[in-house]
Amino acid sequence: MKQTLFITNDGSTSIRLEELDESYHSKHGAIQEAYHVFIKNGLSLFKGKSVSVLEIGFGTGLNALITLKEAANFQQTIEYVGVEAYPIASEMAMQMNYVDQLQQENLKLSFELMHDSDWEKRVAITPNFHLTKEKKLFQEINHENQFDLVYFDAFGFRVQPELWSFEVFQKMHKAMKKEGVLVTYACRTSIKNAMKECGFTVEKLPGAPGKREMLRAFKI
């Protein structure tokens, strides 16, 4: 499938899948959206604590990178698992301008290591951030009671509705610890209902710029 790099409205890069007319991030701003959804409304709830994170859709590595960056500010140690069925090529990943846009040249080697590290292997990106990349379909996830926080960043419902189903969210619920949190950029009624059917308590929150709402779910 043809992949095209483009610049989102906040100056950060993303990738468009031409055949699906779908992008890895919001055209309104890749970094902007990632911070709003996953850091402000997710990671920041766990300040001062060790956090185990499951990312559904490792993609370009943006969410992992900003989590590494902000974990230092929040005094967190991070155990990060990123699931991706169809990894992007390392050459494409290295064209992402996130380090420059974040003005964090010190993160360049960490970002490269995230992409160059072996799959299915736990790797110390820094002493306080360990990454395990799992190459599998989301339907194949079988973790149990392991994660404090889930970044649900799959491609949109319009192109892959099966990823936003009761069956997938049931796997998320099973993978999460009690009082765990799941955050996603999406806010479709059918998605909210699927989450509730799995036992989540769900709330709507203001969305990132360009999007009206997003969802946050709690495992009570």
Side-chain angles (χ1 to χ4, degrees), residues 10 102 110:
D10 69 359
L102 293 168
S110 294

Side-chain angles (χ1 to χ4, degrees), residues 30-70:
I31 289 177
Q32 181 176 255
E33 179 184 53
Y35 259 96
H36 179 86
V37 176
F38 303 113
I39 304 301
K40 178 183 177 181
N41 291 301
L43 189 68
S44 69
L45 302 181
F46 299 89
K47 290 181 180 179
K49 300 178 181 179
S50 297
V51 187
S52 53
V53 180
L54 172 63
E55 181 181 14
I56 302 303
F58 184 76
T60 65
L62 171 58
N63 295 333
L65 182 68
I66 61 174
T67 298
L68 185 155
K69 176 180 178 294
E70 295 306 319

Side-chain angles (χ1 to χ4, degrees), residues 68-119:
L68 185 155
K69 176 180 178 294
E70 295 306 319
N73 297 330
F74 295 155
Q75 299 180 315
Q76 295 165 318
T77 297
I78 303 291
E79 196 69 38
Y80 199 101
V81 175
V83 179
E84 179 62 60
Y86 305 102
I88 66 172
S90 182
E91 295 77 16
M92 177 68 84
M94 293 307 103
Q95 294 182 59
M96 298 297 111
N97 68 356
Y98 306 140
V99 170
D100 292 338
Q101 287 293 304
L102 293 168
Q103 299 182 341
Q104 295 286 321
E105 185 64 26
N106 60 307
L107 295 180
K108 185 174 187 293
L109 292 179
S110 294
F111 186 63
E112 291 176 355
L113 181 57
M114 286 178 177
H115 285 283
D116 291 340
S117 61
D118 293 335
W119 291 81

Side-chain angles (χ1 to χ4, degrees), residues 118-131:
D118 293 335
W119 291 81
E120 319 303 333
K121 182 179 179 182
R122 183 174 180 264
V123 177
I125 304 299
T126 70
N128 295 320
F129 187 102
H130 288 82
L131 171 67

